[in-house]
Amino acid sequence: MSRTIPLERIRNIGIIAHIDAGKTTITEMILHHSGRTYKIGRVDDGTAEMDWMDQERERGITITAAATSCDWQDHRINIIDTPGHVDFTAEVERSLRVLDGGVMLFDGVAGVESQSEMVWHQANKYRVPRICFVNKMDRVGANLLRSIDMMKKRLNANVGLMQLPFGAESSLTGIIDIIEEKAYMFLGELNSEPREIPIPDEYRDMVARYRRALIENLAESDDEIMLAYIADEEINVAAIKAGLRRATISARIVPVLCGSALRNIGIQPVLDAIVDYLPSPLDMPPIHGFEPRSGLEELRYPDDNAPFSALAFKIVTDPFVGRLVYLRIYSGRMNSGAVVYNAVTGKKERIGRLYQMHANDRLEIPEIASGSIAAAVGLRNTSTGDTICDTEHPIILESITFPEPVISVAIEPSSRGDQDRIVDALTKLAEEDPTFKVQYNQETGQTLISGMGELQLEVIVVRLLREFRVKAKVSRPRVAYKETITIPARAEGRFVRQTGGRGQYGHVWLEIEPLQPGTGFEFVNRIQGGVVPREYIPAVQTGIKQTFAEGVIAGYPVVDVRATIVDGSYHEVDSSEPAFKMAGAIAARECVRKAAPVILEPIMKLEVVTPQEFLGDVIGGLNARRGNIDGIKSLDALAVIQCYLPLAESFGYATDLRSISQGRASFFMKFDRYQAVSKELADSIMEKYRIGR
């Protein structure tokens, strides 16, 4: 089957931003102007096509990343509309991993917000070239130049300003193109084209100044522009655009546009900029991976004739077709019905049907080719981050890393009939969201679900009821505390049982020492002379790991510890793997108790935006919740409070803040680090653990 759209005319992009910056609105406008849809959905009305989940329409926010595609100027644009709420950061993470470019939105009034910084750094992590769109320029207080200044200071962005607003706030009627030195009036009707008008006299000097600044910036970032600039040659529009494209793809400059998505101002220029400045798959470096058997590095180029390789970046349970696996194809092509190889699991699977997705609508297609994003049915053993490839040319591509959950709740079915269904439903939901974890606590008999925040878990519980028809009771949120040690320690673990016949004998000496935060668990074998036979060492390690996972002083996982087995003994007849596993567990518990253990609690980075008149009350509320104020900034009539707050004290803060500020303050919160709790709080946590047992 021949390719209908050349690779150089494909753009794989994501719309990314802070919550409520207008991502879904601009996506709806893009789809309308490109002819993909005929009716524009509104977020406020709950009619946005990209927010297809019931909860998205009810809450007015994006919860899951939705994929679609459209055509513009003979180019195919594959779009992923991502969530802005920090609880759903995994959706942004996996989308950026597979995209070639991004459109970053900013609120023209708020400028660079906290989640803006977070997604910007995520884009940096995956080296995603991007353009910026300063949205909501029609709102009172919108200021393009202030937003750009914030981009430079807070994001360290090298900004290339391409447009200026024509009019201000409610009188915004158009934009001025700095590169082409043209002004465009937007009439407001949805199907109308922008009308070119002469640049008003009062804007001419400003346009000339910013055009000169853009060329000078390009000269510092692009060799061809620099040579022309030094030679004092005229740099025409085509040369500026070509230079800006090279600088954007290499992430040396970020072009900035402006407008109002809700009022349909500046949308067509954004589509033009996506085509003109963001990369095609051919502009991106080849994807790196390694051959699973030899471990040698491999490269895959975006070529239809190369061996097939694709990354599974999202799993969705569809009520009509079953398990959908979203794929980004990096090389080669594959037909429906073909057998592929999962290089991570080492298993072959058969692709059933292939679909081009538009939110939750599906268009069946016979084939997928390099550079495309599609969904497949039939990959039952494929998980997020797995590599699907040609059976004869296996490769494992770089996977996707996700943050660990920081909040848990206990969940139980409301009736005995829901018992089996809830297990199946939670398994499917955990497959969809890598930051959602399900655990069964042997001691309490409870099922714990964990995630990134209260909203994420609330959405999960509602989905259980609506999609899976499972009624469940949920307890109060539980903080994911951890345990660690502060000094080295040494202890003996001896397990001896004699009950008639063959006995059980395991004996080890263990040393533990603290590691740097975030290191996790390390095991070292320093046994010499065979005092503990080699075949029993893995059992000792298993016993230590299980003990650390269950916790020692308060029932929470022990982290950032190196455990070293240094000595021991065995019995030729009575020693066994279970005995050494028990010996390792006993030694681990004794070591932790001797090593000055502490309890760690998750600390959240909090940013509160409040009108100045409520500043004192908001600070007082944070202090009462053990908040540590890091700084306060003034933003006209608003104050921005930066604070570190224990997660345990954050529950119910949204309600309290609304009450304090008459509903006018807002906040953003993300996980920052783990930190040792005070002795009083540690004693309280351990006492609850002892009572619970």
Side-chain angles (χ1 to χ4, degrees):
M1 181 177 175
S2 61
R3 174 183 281 279
T4 56
I5 298 177
L7 262 173
E8 62 269 18
R9 292 188 180 178
I10 289 179
R11 302 288 185 269
N12 293 313
I13 68 154
I15 311 291
I16 52 178
H18 185 92
I19 190 170
D20 202 32
K23 296 178 298 300
T24 301
T25 301
I26 195 171
T27 305
E28 296 286 333
M29 288 292 182
I30 284 173
L31 294 175
H32 178 75
H33 284 294
S34 63
R36 184 71 173 80
T37 59
Y38 297 100
K39 181 182 178 183
I40 293 180
R42 301 287 186 184
V43 174
D44 293 340
D45 299 338
T47 57
E49 291 209 16
M50 301 306 288
D51 285 348
W52 57 271
M53 290 176 62
D54 289 342
Q55 290 195 73
E56 291 180 314
R57 293 178 172 177
E58 290 168 7
R59 298 173 188 268
I61 62 170
T62 300
I63 292 172
T64 182
T68 186
S69 61
C70 63
D71 295 327
W72 185 257
Q73 294 181 1
D74 299 324
H75 287 67
R76 169 64 49 83
I77 303 175
N78 297 317
I79 303 171
I80 296 181
D81 174 29
T82 64
H85 197 284
V86 68
D87 281 17
F88 310 107
T89 186
E91 295 289 331
V92 182
E93 188 82 23
R94 59 177 159 201
S95 299
L96 288 171
R97 168 62 181 83
V98 299
L99 293 171
D100 299 326
V103 179
M104 182 88 185
L105 262 63
F106 297 93
D107 186 314
V109 179
V112 177
E113 300 171 88
S114 298
Q115 183 73 353
S116 308
E117 289 188 71
M118 189 171 181
V119 296
W120 185 272
H121 294 314
Q122 285 176 301
N124 285 343
K125 174 182 173 182
Y126 293 111
R127 299 178 293 278
V128 176
R130 69 216 79 149
I131 62 176
C132 296
F133 181 73
V134 181
N135 192 23
K136 304 188 179 182
M137 290 302 299
D138 57 324
R139 288 181 57 198
V140 175
N143 189 320
L144 174 65
L145 299 183
R146 183 182 65 203
S147 297
I148 286 178
D149 189 54
M150 293 176 74
M151 289 181 212
K152 293 176 181 177
K153 290 179 179 177
R154 295 184 65 170
L155 306 178
N156 197 28
N158 184 15
V159 171
L161 183 59
M162 292 175 51
Q163 295 176 351
L164 292 170
F166 179 37
E169 299 180 348
S170 59
S171 62
L172 179 75
T173 53
I175 59 165
I176 299 173
D177 190 312
I178 290 173
I179 296 176
E180 296 188 354
E181 297 182 287
K182 295 178 180 178
Y184 294 94
M185 179 82 75
F186 290 81
L187 304 177
E189 290 83 10
L190 288 178
N191 297 311
S192 63
E193 292 294 315
R195 180 163 57 88
E196 184 181 338
I197 60 172
I199 295 178
D201 292 339
E202 63 268 27
Y203 285 94
R204 290 189 180 278
D205 290 343
M206 187 186 300
V207 171
R209 185 168 72 253
Y210 282 112
R211 192 173 194 272
R212 187 164 55 250
L214 176 62
I215 293 172
E216 289 172 355
N217 194 357
L218 273 174
E220 294 176 3
S221 307
D222 184 79
D223 291 341
E224 290 187 34
I225 299 293
M226 177 180 282
L227 291 174
Y229 184 77
I230 292 173
D232 204 22
E233 297 175 2
E234 181 183 351
I235 304 174
N236 59 28
V237 170
I240 294 174
K241 287 187 173 182
L244 189 55
R245 176 178 176 79
R246 291 189 296 270
T248 303
I249 291 173
S250 60
R252 293 192 298 268
I253 287 183
V254 182
V256 177
L257 301 88
C258 63
S260 170
L262 190 62
R263 287 181 54 191
N264 192 29
I265 297 175
I267 305 302
Q268 294 94 329
V270 171
L271 279 161
D272 292 338
I274 290 169
V275 167
D276 291 342
Y277 305 117
L278 291 180
S280 73
L282 292 175
D283 294 315
M284 301 300 289
I287 191 75
H288 288 251
F290 63 90
E291 207 279 335
R293 288 185 292 266
S294 66
L296 296 175
E297 185 181 42
E298 295 258 341
L299 298 178
R300 288 288 187 270
Y301 292 86
D303 182 350
D304 290 349
N305 298 316
F308 175 74
S309 66
L311 187 76
F313 68 94
K314 183 177 171 72
I315 312 292
V316 172
T317 302
D318 189 286
F320 300 103
V321 299
R323 194 172 187 267
L324 274 174
V325 179
Y326 281 68
L327 300 171
R328 163 66 200 263
I329 295 80
Y330 285 100
S331 63
R333 56 202 314 156
M334 187 60 61
N335 299 317
S336 58
V339 174
V340 293
Y341 180 66
N342 186 323
V344 176
T345 63
K347 296 179 180 178
K348 292 182 180 180
E349 296 198 71
R350 183 178 297 278
I351 290 180
R353 295 183 297 279
L354 296 169
Y355 294 105
Q356 189 76 50
M357 299 301 296
H358 173 62
N360 64 329
D361 291 334
R362 303 166 303 278
L363 173 65
E364 189 167 352
I365 53 177
E367 182 185 54
I368 48 177
S370 58
S372 60
I373 293 175
V377 173
L379 301 174
R380 299 183 181 277
N381 299 309
T382 297
S383 303
T384 301
D386 286 359
T387 301
I388 306 300
C389 57
D390 190 315
T391 55
E392 301 299 320
H393 302 88
I395 185 175
I396 296 180
L397 304 176
E398 179 189 353
S399 190
I400 312 170
T401 56
F402 298 101
E404 286 295 313
V406 296
I407 184 173
S408 304
V409 296
I411 186 169
E412 58 180 283
S414 297
S415 65
R416 188 178 295 274
D418 289 323
Q419 183 68 54
D420 293 335
R421 293 208 306 267
I422 198 172
V423 174
D424 180 58
L426 289 175
T427 301
K428 290 178 178 178
L429 290 169
E431 281 185 345
E432 291 187 16
D433 187 349
T435 63
F436 173 66
K437 306 288 185 186
V438 183
Q439 258 182 327
Y440 181 73
N441 189 313
Q442 298 274 5
E443 293 186 355
T444 64
Q446 288 182 312
T447 299
L448 296 178
I449 58 174
S450 307
M452 301 305 297
E454 289 180 271
L455 179 60
Q456 180 192 15
L457 297 183
E458 188 181 316
V459 167
I460 292 285
V461 172
V462 174
R463 288 189 65 191
L464 281 174
L465 175 62
R466 293 184 180 178
E467 294 178 31
F468 298 95
R469 303 283 189 257
V470 176
K471 293 182 180 179
K473 302 173 185 175
V474 179
S475 69
R476 188 178 184 274
R478 178 174 180 255
V479 178
Y481 293 107
K482 295 185 186 298
E483 301 173 19
T484 193
I485 60 173
T486 55
I487 60 173
R490 176 186 172 100
E492 180 185 27
R494 184 187 293 272
F495 182 75
V496 182
R497 292 287 186 276
Q498 193 70 45
T499 55
R502 181 177 174 179
Q504 295 286 341
Y505 182 91
H507 175 224
V508 297
W509 277 93
L510 196 67
E511 292 179 355
I512 65 173
E513 58 186 307
L515 296 176
Q516 289 294 320
T519 307
F521 168 72
E522 290 183 9
F523 177 77
V524 179
N525 176 16
R526 283 220 312 262
I527 291 293
Q528 295 180 347
V531 293
V532 175
R534 185 181 303 170
E535 61 266 26
Y536 297 139
I537 300 298
V540 175
Q541 182 179 359
T542 300
I544 297 168
K545 286 182 70 174
Q546 286 185 359
T547 298
F548 284 179
E550 294 166 0
V552 175
I553 61 172
Y556 296 101
V558 180
V559 297
D560 305 332
V561 176
R562 178 185 290 125
T564 305
I565 179 173
V566 294
D567 202 357
S569 63
Y570 74 103
H571 190 280
E572 290 185 357
V573 176
D574 291 347
S575 286
S576 64
E577 288 189 5
F580 272 98
K581 177 181 173 183
M582 287 299 299
I586 293 167
R589 277 193 290 271
E590 287 302 311
C591 274
V592 170
R593 292 191 180 106
K594 292 180 178 180
V598 294
I599 297 175
L600 304 174
E601 67 175 339
I603 302 295
M604 312 301 286
K605 186 175 183 180
L606 183 71
E607 186 170 289
V608 183
V609 181
T610 176
Q612 293 280 4
E613 60 261 38
F614 304 114
L615 179 60
D617 291 337
V618 172
I619 291 175
L622 291 171
N623 289 333
R625 289 174 175 264
R626 294 196 288 132
N628 179 18
I629 307 296
D630 188 51
I632 302 172
K633 299 178 183 176
S634 292
L635 191 67
D636 296 333
L638 300 175
V640 180
I641 306 167
Q642 292 177 330
C643 171
Y644 293 98
L645 185 72
L647 176 65
E649 304 290 345
S650 70
F651 302 137
Y653 183 64
T655 303
D656 285 356
L657 184 63
R658 279 196 296 269
S659 175
I660 290 170
S661 66
Q662 299 173 13
R664 294 167 61 192
S666 62
F667 75 96
F668 162 85
M669 184 170 62
K670 69 174 181 177
F671 171 74
D672 186 70
R673 66 185 186 276
Y674 270 90
Q675 178 177 292
V677 303
S678 66
K679 185 180 184 306
E680 293 78 12
L681 183 56
D683 290 343
S684 172
I685 293 170
M686 288 188 285
E687 181 64 26
K688 289 178 182 176
Y689 173 63
R690 283 191 289 269
I691 293 172
R693 298 185 72 184

